[in-house]
Amino acid sequence: GIQVEQSPPDLILQEGANSTLRCNFSDSVNNLQWFHQNPWGQLINLFYIPSGTKQNGRLSATTVATERYSLLYISSSQTTDSGVYFCAVVEGGTSYGKLTFGQGTILTVHP
Amino acid sequence: GAVVSQHPSRVICKSGTSVKIECRSLDFQATTMFWYRQFPKQSLMLMATSNEGSKATYEQGVEKDKFLINHASLTLSTLTVTSAHPEDSSFYICSAPGRGVWEQYFGPGTRLTVT
């Protein structure tokens, strides 16, 4: 099956700093989503981005499908950005809902 | 975005008992839902695909007799953990595709503790 690798595994920032999270995947994908898991476990949809670039406030994401990677940018980080960020993909040719998750990036933002 | 709810949010049960977890799509219909499991400090692993009106499809290594899935309506899927044991303690999360089909929306999760 498809492999999804996220880096870095851990990231510690001071409030106001910018960061880039990376997601590499081993095969073609039909779907790629970025999620933020808050301290209570809720997965919050950040981006549905199988290709191209999207922006939402301080967050933006870029997926280069031909090179099999995606990047999540967080600008002017805030303490509320802390949590785990997951990249998840649906492998090409498989059922649309069967997401394979990366191991996540644990982000800690200090005031 | 689409809203998915789960109930209960937290449950503690004794070893050997069964526990039912509900997953509902609140503002849309879902012929398919998905159940994931997450161990502490780990990623999510797909357990099974719940299909409205037909049998669930289980991922390799998931015991279908231990984790019973019923998708009785277009807005409700249930996961029953039968004869629960401490190793079944985990965070169980369901998802459903939104109107765009490809994008998945997740419920808030159910934390199961088996004593």
Side-chain angles (χ1 to χ4, degrees):
Chain A
I2 195 167
Q3 304 298 313
V4 182
E5 294 183 0
Q6 290 185 241
S7 60
D10 295 275
L11 186 58
I12 300 174
L13 301 174
Q14 284 297 126
E15 202 167 26
N18 303 327
S19 62
T20 301
L21 282 59
R22 187 177 179 100
C23 172
N24 292 332
F25 41 97
S26 61
D27 209 337
S28 63
V29 298
N30 290 331
N31 174 15
L32 188 146
Q33 288 183 248
W34 282 98
F35 298 94
H36 175 213
Q37 188 169 38
N38 66 21
W40 297 273
Q42 172 77 62
L43 280 166
I44 299 165
N45 289 38
L46 297 179
F47 293 102
Y48 164 68
I49 187 165
S51 63
T53 297
K54 290 185 178 179
Q55 181 159 5
N56 184 4
R58 295 182 296 104
L59 303 181
S60 64
T62 295
T63 297
V64 183
T66 53
E67 297 187 20
R68 299 180 182 167
Y69 73 89
S70 182
L71 302 174
L72 176 69
Y73 305 96
I74 305 174
S75 64
S76 303
S77 58
Q78 301 175 0
T79 56
T80 52
D81 294 332
S82 296
V84 186
Y85 289 80
F86 286 108
C87 164
V89 304
V90 174
E91 186 174 1
T94 63
S95 170
Y96 62 85
K98 297 177 71 171
L99 286 167
T100 299
F101 281 76
Q103 289 303 306
T105 293
I106 302 173
L107 175 64
T108 304
V109 181
H110 290 303
Chain B
V3 179
V4 177
S5 72
Q6 277 184 246
H7 178 80
S9 59
R10 182 182 295 266
V11 58
I12 300 172
C13 71
K14 292 188 182 298
S15 188
T17 61
S18 295
V19 174
K20 181 184 288 188
I21 302 169
E22 294 184 347
C23 175
R24 293 181 185 274
S25 56
L26 295 185
D27 54 354
F28 64 103
Q29 294 182 334
T31 57
T32 303
M33 293 183 178
F34 302 89
W35 287 95
Y36 293 80
R37 183 175 183 177
Q38 184 180 29
F39 289 106
K41 299 190 185 302
Q42 294 190 23
S43 188
L44 283 76
M45 295 292 292
L46 178 66
M47 297 174 65
T49 303
S50 173
N51 303 299
E52 190 268 335
S54 65
K55 290 183 179 180
T57 306
Y58 292 82
E59 295 301 301
Q60 192 173 9
V62 178
E63 300 175 62
K64 62 180 181 180
D65 295 331
K66 153 85 58 187
F67 300 101
L68 299 180
I69 291 172
N70 183 32
H71 198 140
S73 75
L74 289 172
T75 59
L76 173 64
S77 174
T78 60
L79 168 67
T80 301
V81 183
T82 63
S83 187
H85 288 95
E87 57 266 31
D88 298 325
S89 298
S90 190
F91 193 53
Y92 293 89
I93 313 174
C94 69
S95 77
R99 295 175 184 84
V101 177
W102 286 102
E103 190 168 3
Q104 291 288 319
Y105 292 89
F106 283 79
T110 296
R111 193 164 303 280
L112 171 64
T113 303
V114 185
T115 60

